[in-house]
Amino acid sequence: DTEVTQTPKHLVMGMTNKKSLKCEQHMGHRAMYWYKQKAKKPPELMFVYSYEKLSINESVPSRFSPECPNSSLLNLHLHALQPEDSALYLCASSQGTRVTGELFFGEGSRLTVL
Amino acid sequence: GQNIDQPTEMTATEGAIVQINCTYQTSGFNGLFWYQQHAGEAPTFLSYNVLDGLEEKGRFSSFLSRSKGYSYLLLKELQMKDSASYLCAVRVTGGGNKLTFGTGTQLKVEL
């Protein structure tokens, strides 16, 4: 199994809603990532989890709250988002953060904030 | 910080060879990745270079010159399905496995 699975694929939410994006991998990878990608732009790193601990937060606003319940799962909790937060949110995993392994990406969750 | 530059768009003919360049300015360089991304899909890994030289993988090859801060991705025997965005990404030491992506090159393959 070389897949990273993200749900939901599409999400529409209002600025007062609370929602969550979910990501799952069963490759035994110990590092997981959230990236944000706007249309025709490259992915931008948001968070990195290494061995279930948050190791990098790229100064992301607190309305985005990551959670790593176990080594296979990664969530991104969303609250009080703004319309400019509408984007494709990509989850990725890799063997670790100290090895030269590539990132495996999920297909993303496309978020629209109204 | 890091600065990664790629051409925005390129067009090539089916069956031909195309070279996509990437230049970068960074401190603590620790590897360069190439990813392919079709519209609306996830980026998929193509190649990785950490030492100078050429890495070949089927129709795809990638070259790195660390002293020049330069890499290229070479695609041979182009097929229509190669039409996609090609992303160059740089990793630096001390940054975990944090990749910073370039702006991407949109390749269009024509008949």
Side-chain angles (χ1 to χ4, degrees):
Chain A
D1 184 359
T2 57
E3 280 193 348
V4 176
T5 305
Q6 289 187 244
T7 56
K9 288 197 183 334
H10 299 275
L11 178 62
V12 179
M13 61 186 288
M15 291 190 283
T16 58
N17 291 159
K18 279 186 185 181
K19 298 284 184 184
S20 296
L21 305 180
K22 298 186 183 301
C23 176
E24 189 168 1
Q25 57 87 14
H26 295 289
M27 294 179 276
H29 289 173
R30 303 314 300 265
M32 296 185 77
Y33 311 75
W34 281 114
Y35 277 82
K36 173 182 177 179
Q37 187 174 28
K38 303 280 271 185
K40 297 187 191 276
K41 297 287 187 186
E44 293 179 354
L45 182 65
M46 300 175 73
F47 303 104
V48 180
Y49 272 83
S50 177
Y51 290 84
E52 298 156 51
K53 287 190 168 55
L54 184 64
S55 60
I56 296 177
N57 176 343
E58 291 287 279
S59 303
V60 179
S62 60
R63 58 186 185 268
F64 295 91
S65 174
E67 179 198 15
C68 190
N70 61 55
S71 59
S72 300
L73 294 174
L74 184 67
N75 298 323
L76 186 62
H77 302 298
L78 315 170
H79 175 53
L81 294 193
Q82 305 294 312
E84 59 264 29
D85 296 322
S86 298
L88 181 69
Y89 289 84
L90 292 163
C91 173
S93 71
S94 67
Q95 277 186 297
T97 58
R98 292 185 180 273
V99 293
T100 55
E102 71 268 24
L103 270 61
F104 291 79
F105 283 88
E107 293 200 342
S109 292
R110 188 162 297 282
L111 174 67
T112 303
V113 182
L114 302 176
Chain B
Q2 295 159 58
N3 192 27
I4 305 170
D5 288 315
Q6 304 178 235
T8 306
E9 294 178 340
M10 297 183 73
T11 302
T13 306
E14 190 179 34
I17 299 173
V18 72
Q19 177 175 311
I20 302 174
N21 296 326
C22 171
T23 57
Y24 63 90
Q25 293 174 315
T26 188
S27 54
F29 175 83
N30 191 26
L32 187 144
F33 294 78
W34 283 96
Y35 279 82
Q36 179 193 61
Q37 187 176 26
H38 286 98
E41 297 183 12
T44 54
F45 170 76
L46 291 177
S47 70
Y48 168 70
N49 296 72
V50 68
L51 299 175
D52 291 350
L54 189 69
E55 293 284 338
E56 296 188 78
K57 224 180 191 185
R59 293 191 299 116
F60 297 86
S61 304
S62 58
F63 172 83
L64 175 67
S65 169
R66 288 173 296 169
S67 62
K68 294 181 179 173
Y70 167 70
S71 174
Y72 67 73
L73 180 69
L74 195 71
L75 292 78
K76 303 175 190 172
E77 300 168 17
L78 279 174
Q79 302 174 11
M80 299 297 287
K81 67 179 183 180
D82 296 329
S83 294
S85 180
Y86 290 85
L87 300 159
C88 166
V90 171
R91 177 171 61 204
V92 298
T93 56
N97 204 20
K98 170 183 169 180
L99 297 189
T100 301
F101 285 85
T103 50
T105 298
Q106 187 65 44
L107 174 66
K108 184 179 178 183
V109 180
E110 299 179 329
L111 290 171

